[in-house]
Amino acid sequence: MIPAVILAGGASSRMSGRPKALLPTGPQGESFLGRIVQTFHEAGVDDVLVVAGFHLDEITRHVEEHGLQVRVLPNPHPEQGQLSSLLVALRAVDHPGVRAMLVTLVDLPLVSPTTVRVVLDAYQRTGAPLVRPASRGRHGHPVLFDRRLFDELRRADPERGAKPVVRAHAAEGVEVEVNDDGAFDDIDTPAEYERTFGQPPD
């Protein structure tokens, strides 16, 4: 089993404090979070979790109101950074039968189901400790961590996050080339939102 984790614990300060998870992805009104959850389900991932922190109440209410098939996990200390949310997820998913976990950020709502599938397929073929999408030297999301790396993630420096773990295993990991801008383009600011969707966030 390979669950998927969406990290949404931040304060969205660069988006003027508006929860990025709840921003619409276009005229249909589907939220960033709703779009990512649907993407994982379309890619065949049954167990999807979102870690919420500063905007826990708003995200929980949104999930309930829209019937999103996602488990909401509270991060009681989101001020400790992104790794703290990842560790909340790890405590929830690390049980017998889980081979690995997919991790993405709520900032990347436009990643395609195809990208998720090719990451999963590459892992099934190789059993690599780390699998991530790549394009023209860029690395994107979701990132797949084999359970062999779970303890290293737990020991990681909160100040530096998961990046040193990723770098330590990059050589033995697998990069899958994808043609999917949504796997790489973070939407962190109102300007990036407007550039992506052609209008400012509501």
Side-chain angles (χ1 to χ4, degrees), residues 17-151:
R18 298 190 57 203
K20 279 181 284 188
L22 308 188
L23 290 173
T25 56
Q28 302 304 316
E30 187 176 30
S31 68
F32 279 29
L33 178 59
R35 176 73 173 261
I36 299 170
V37 170
Q38 182 62 29
T39 292
F40 278 129
H41 287 314
E42 288 183 16
V45 181
D46 296 324
D47 190 17
V48 184
L49 308 87
V50 57
V51 183
F54 286 102
H55 300 289
L56 173 62
D57 291 343
E58 298 98 315
I59 289 174
T60 300
R61 185 163 56 248
H62 180 77
V63 166
E64 292 172 350
E65 290 176 352
H66 292 268
L68 300 182
Q69 298 301 302
V70 60
R71 287 193 281 160
V72 180
L73 304 177
N75 179 357
H77 300 292
E79 72 282 355
Q80 294 179 3
Q82 198 173 89
L83 182 64
S84 68
S85 289
L86 183 57
L87 295 181
V88 167
L90 193 53
R91 286 193 291 272
V93 305
D94 188 9
H95 54 77
V98 170
R99 299 174 54 200
M101 67 175 175
L102 287 160
V103 179
T104 194
L105 310 178
V106 80
D107 314 38
L108 293 98
L110 301 182
V111 61
S112 74
T114 299
T115 293
V116 178
R117 282 193 290 267
V118 298
V119 167
L120 289 168
D121 289 347
Y123 176 69
Q124 301 290 3
R125 288 196 315 272
T126 67
L130 182 78
V131 184
R132 53 185 172 163
S135 176
R136 300 187 299 277
R138 296 186 298 168
H139 299 110
H141 287 79
V143 178
L144 184 145
F145 294 94
D146 182 83
R147 71 173 302 112
R148 285 173 283 171
L149 303 187
F150 288 2
D151 283 342

